[in-house]
Amino acid sequence: MGKRPEPLSFEDLRTYSLFERPSKVSVEKLGRPLGPGRTLREFLRALPKELAARDLLDLAREIVRARKRDRPVIWAFGAHVIKVGASPYLLDLMERGLVTALATNGASMVHDAELAMCGNTSEDVAAALRDGSFGAAKETGELLNEAARLGARGQGLGWALGKLIAEGNFPYKHLSLFARAYELGVPLTVHVAIGTDIVHIHPSAEGAAIGEATYLDFRIFCRLVSELEGGVFVLSGSAVLLPEVFLKALSAVRNLGHRVEHFVTANLDFLRQYRPLTNVVHRPTLSAGKGYSITGHHEILIPLLHGAVVEMWEGEDADL
């Protein structure tokens, strides 16, 4: 056997005073547990001033700052945001003028429309797939494919569905993001990938109409992105489609000479995935601006962010 190495001696190791060392964490940044009966503002102020809690409040400040300067706030979202019950928070931000445009995918049309029509959505896919009944809801297919035909005539897919829901006899249309956006004149664009949505298998589906309507929405979205300088772009619940749409739109508007450099982006999701991080948080803000990635469940993160934004916007003291 070889000779055992001599243990290293620490006798001459240089030390310094803890009291002179720069440190990242201080007692001022610690969270403060609260008792019952406290307000949302007190709760937000008591959060730790570290990592995601810090970023959440910083993002809320960026949204409020952008709107006070009359700069846009575009919120892009996947269908999961609707399915977990978080769409009323986006609805409220839109009504307050704190979100100036929305962008989504085709699945969001399904869930928003079904909730408006009957107050229920999201079928049991595993059970319905056995006999091929998955996605075959008659009313859903007819309404959304009618929206595609209407939207293809020049106003786009999001506007068309909003009009049909807002003017239809639907008991829960007051909860529809599409209907309220139409009523408020807030742009809501839909970015469809053919074959991904249940309405594409319905007899009423027309590929040409779907393609034309969603392409119009992409061009409208590009116009919105061309005006994003000084604004905020938030993504929640889309891992592939909407990050790609945003990246292509940003490239197109810069190619056309629009200055879109100083802006804030954020991704809110329960997983950190490549495209949202790369195409929304990092690449677009390399030259200027700032990107946030906050990991957590939408049914928790979005209400918290909504609360912080409203408190900062409406409260007497805008600082939290």
Side-chain angles (χ1 to χ4, degrees):
M1 294 181 62
K3 183 179 179 182
R4 181 178 67 87
E6 281 293 321
L8 185 67
S9 172
F10 299 139
E11 184 177 346
D12 296 326
L13 188 136
R14 299 184 301 275
T15 63
Y16 53 81
S17 171
L18 165 65
F19 296 92
E20 296 174 355
R21 184 197 69 193
S23 299
K24 295 180 179 180
V25 179
S26 65
V27 293
E28 290 81 9
K29 294 182 178 182
L30 302 181
R32 293 182 292 107
L34 297 177
R38 298 302 184 96
T39 66
L40 174 62
R41 176 171 286 268
E42 290 173 319
F43 168 76
L44 293 170
R45 280 182 166 167
L47 288 173
K49 305 302 186 292
E50 293 287 353
L51 301 175
R54 177 198 61 214
D55 287 349
L56 185 81
L57 295 181
D58 285 348
L59 175 58
R61 291 188 190 96
E62 295 285 5
I63 291 172
V64 170
R65 185 179 297 119
R67 293 308 298 133
K68 287 187 174 180
R69 295 174 179 173
D70 198 28
R71 303 312 305 142
V73 174
I74 304 172
W75 195 306
F77 62 97
H80 188 256
V81 169
I82 297 176
K83 291 172 66 175
V84 299
S87 58
Y89 301 97
L90 301 188
L91 192 75
D92 185 69
L93 291 175
M94 182 171 58
E95 289 179 336
R96 293 175 185 270
L98 294 169
V99 166
T100 60
L102 294 168
T104 192
N105 57 16
S108 293
M109 299 176 66
V110 172
H111 298 298
D112 185 275
E114 290 186 345
L115 284 174
M117 284 190 284
C118 70
N120 297 287
T121 190
S122 195
E123 62 188 303
D124 186 335
V125 177
L129 193 60
R130 293 178 188 144
D131 63 359
S133 62
F134 166 57
K138 177 177 181 290
E139 295 83 359
T140 307
E142 290 177 348
L143 179 63
L144 268 62
N145 287 317
E146 182 183 354
R149 289 188 293 273
L150 176 61
R153 297 173 193 165
Q155 295 289 345
L157 191 50
W159 176 90
L161 181 60
K163 175 180 173 65
L164 292 175
I165 296 176
E167 297 178 357
N169 185 25
F170 302 129
Y172 300 100
K173 63 184 181 181
H174 61 286
L175 296 174
S176 166
L177 286 169
F178 284 83
R180 198 68 184 114
Y182 170 79
E183 293 168 343
L184 294 171
V186 172
L188 196 171
T189 58
V190 185
H191 306 274
V192 172
I194 298 291
T196 61
D197 304 320
I198 61 171
V199 297
H200 301 163
I201 66 173
H202 281 246
S204 58
E206 296 179 14
I210 296 167
E212 181 64 26
T214 196
Y215 184 58
L216 282 168
D217 273 12
F218 175 64
R219 291 170 59 199
I220 293 168
F221 181 72
C222 287
R223 172 63 66 185
L224 298 170
V225 172
S226 76
E227 300 167 351
L228 190 55
E229 180 74 10
V232 179
F233 178 80
V234 179
L235 173 69
S236 53
S238 178
V240 178
L241 194 148
L242 293 178
E244 292 293 348
V245 168
F246 177 66
L247 195 71
K248 306 315 185 293
L250 182 61
S251 181
V253 302
R254 286 176 173 174
N255 182 287
L256 290 168
H258 296 275
R259 185 173 184 269
V260 186
E261 297 292 340
H262 297 84
F263 61 97
V264 170
T265 65
N267 179 58
L268 313 177
D269 218 332
F270 54 85
L271 292 173
R272 292 196 174 206
Q273 302 197 62
Y274 173 79
R275 282 177 176 83
L277 284 173
T278 304
N279 293 354
V280 174
V281 177
H282 294 151
R283 283 174 176 163
T285 59
L286 280 175
S287 58
K290 184 173 178 59
Y292 294 89
S293 180
I294 305 176
T295 305
H297 291 276
H298 294 127
E299 62 272 27
I300 298 172
L301 277 185
I302 292 176
L304 282 175
L305 181 57
H306 166 273
V309 169
V310 171
E311 284 289 336
M312 291 180 187
W313 179 259
E314 302 286 351
E316 295 179 4
D317 180 5
D319 190 25
L320 283 175

